[in-house]
Amino acid sequence: QTCDVVMLTYNLQQAQELPVLDACARLGRGALVKKALGSGRLPPEVSLELVLGHAGTSAAVVGTIDPAHLLADVEAARRVLG
């Protein structure tokens, strides 16, 4: 069976699902990466470079209740994406 999109965990500390992300890149499927920032425990710019730099990543799901953290995360993503 096939699917269009998967959601998986991938970050600097959790790479167990990297083969799934690699398969998404190879098969042209979407991949939503959750926990890209390790629930706020990982440095945003380095983490987003890893996650958004992978060809299989369609989007990273990032959340926070702190507006300042959100702004910092958006700025980090902008730097990574150019």
Side-chain angles (χ1 to χ4, degrees):
Q1 294 189 7
T2 63
C3 65
D4 295 324
V5 178
V6 298
M7 180 178 271
L8 56 98
T9 300
Y10 179 56
N11 61 50
L12 294 166
Q13 295 178 335
Q14 294 177 288
Q16 298 88 339
E17 295 179 320
L18 179 58
V20 177
L21 191 57
D22 291 338
C24 287
R26 189 175 63 256
L27 299 170
R29 301 293 191 251
L32 302 175
V33 177
K34 63 180 180 170
K35 304 287 184 185
L37 302 180
S39 298
R41 294 184 307 274
L42 300 172
E45 191 154 349
V46 176
S47 299
L48 291 172
E49 283 178 5
L50 174 77
V51 172
L52 298 176
H54 192 289
T57 300
S58 301
V61 180
V62 178
T64 180
I65 59 172
D66 184 328
H69 287 167
L70 179 59
L71 181 59
D73 295 344
V74 169
E75 290 173 354
R78 285 183 176 150
R79 285 190 298 275
V80 168
L81 295 172

